[in-house]
Amino acid sequence: MKSLVTCITDVIKAHQAAFDKAYHWGFLIDWDHCVILTDRSAKRQGTWQFMSACLLGSFGTTHMLVDDRESSLWVLLYIAMRYTPNSLPPVVLHHDLESWFQDSILGPCGDTGGVGKQFMLNDKQALPSFYVHSLNELLQELADVFAVQYQPEPSEADYALYDFMKVSPTLQMAKTTQMGEYLAKIEKRNSPIWLFKTLYKHAKLTQVPDKKGKDWHKNTCYS
């Protein structure tokens, strides 16, 4: 598991560097499929199982860098559910994999999906418990931030109250309000370094098991 988290950390670092060097003219799918697009909402780009819930949910949605960042969560969760010990019995594990990674509804313009992913992000208790404790903490931290995309935006009154509290001696209290936490998550999600630093931190914390294969095996929900 330490190797997996380390690999995803390196991918995110390379992805951000490629995006920056492209001067935001394109976005990375695979190294051999990197293209410059004039209309990023023309069609979906990516692997269905790992695309953000936002992109799966509708047609014409602009593919943004934050969608690729969210994909890191789905890659990590998918591999963890398939190949590491967790709390779910095989039948439930199979159901959750189908719901979160395969769900689709055929409409007049094509398939849409992402409902299962949004449900998981907004109800993080649905996450399995994994044998590797640091993996649980990482998944919770990532899901908590990426969920903000799918939560109601605060009202104008919430913004006004937060602005009032910011200029008063209660600034620190303002940060702990629902509005303050919402804005903090938006800032993390949009940050070019937050995801890398979070993955890097947990990669360092993840211990290599003392017995070979102790944190890695093929689960029985699929052959």
Side-chain angles (χ1 to χ4, degrees):
M1 184 51 61
K2 186 180 185 73
S3 297
L4 173 61
V5 177
T6 300
C7 286
I8 295 177
T9 303
D10 291 341
V11 167
I12 291 300
K13 182 179 181 179
H15 184 276
Q16 184 66 49
F19 183 80
D20 291 340
K21 290 182 179 180
Y23 299 101
H24 303 191
W25 291 345
F27 60 95
L28 183 66
I29 301 302
D30 292 307
W31 289 114
D32 57 335
H33 294 289
C34 190
V35 294
I36 295 176
L37 298 177
T38 56
D39 182 7
R40 291 192 288 179
S41 64
K43 63 178 181 178
R44 293 193 183 106
Q45 302 283 341
T47 303
W48 183 273
Q49 288 83 354
F50 309 131
M51 291 168 65
S52 73
C54 180
L55 289 178
L56 293 176
S58 63
F59 292 95
T61 301
T62 301
H63 190 141
M64 304 297 291
L65 186 59
V66 293
D67 294 301
D68 293 335
R69 290 173 182 155
E70 184 183 319
S71 291
S72 67
L73 165 63
W74 302 121
V75 171
L76 177 62
L77 180 60
Y78 180 84
I79 296 176
M81 291 177 71
R82 287 292 305 272
Y83 298 108
T84 66
N86 60 70
S87 61
L88 299 180
V91 172
V92 178
L93 181 58
H94 178 84
H95 172 271
D96 286 351
L97 282 166
E98 289 288 322
S99 175
W100 298 346
F101 298 102
Q102 300 291 144
D103 77 306
S104 64
I105 300 174
L106 180 60
C109 298
D111 290 341
T112 58
V115 175
K117 288 180 176 177
Q118 288 194 41
F119 169 79
M120 190 282 288
L121 288 171
N122 287 313
D123 182 13
K124 286 173 282 297
Q125 291 184 351
L127 277 170
S129 177
F130 293 93
Y131 171 82
V132 182
H133 183 66
S134 58
L135 175 60
N136 295 320
E137 295 177 344
L138 173 57
L139 289 170
Q140 288 283 347
E141 189 169 351
L142 296 181
D144 189 52
V145 169
F146 290 126
V148 74
Q149 173 81 12
Y150 311 103
Q151 295 169 350
E153 187 174 349
S155 66
E156 292 184 6
D158 292 328
Y159 277 103
L161 177 60
Y162 180 76
D163 288 339
F164 172 78
M165 295 180 70
K166 280 198 307 181
V167 297
S168 70
T170 57
L171 172 60
Q172 195 59 38
M173 186 181 297
K175 293 180 179 179
T176 63
T177 63
Q178 185 174 359
M179 180 69 186
E181 292 177 354
Y182 173 87
L183 293 176
K185 292 174 185 178
I186 290 289
E187 183 178 0
K188 288 178 179 178
R189 187 199 63 172
N190 295 337
S191 168
I193 61 172
W194 170 80
L195 180 56
F196 169 77
K197 291 177 68 174
T198 301
L199 289 166
Y200 181 77
K201 175 185 69 175
H202 285 278
K204 290 185 66 176
L205 291 174
T206 301
Q207 299 295 316
V208 177
D210 54 0
K211 294 182 180 179
K212 185 177 180 180
K214 193 174 181 180
D215 67 343
W216 193 259
H217 76 93
K218 190 171 184 179
N219 290 318
T220 58
C221 62
Y222 286 94
S223 59

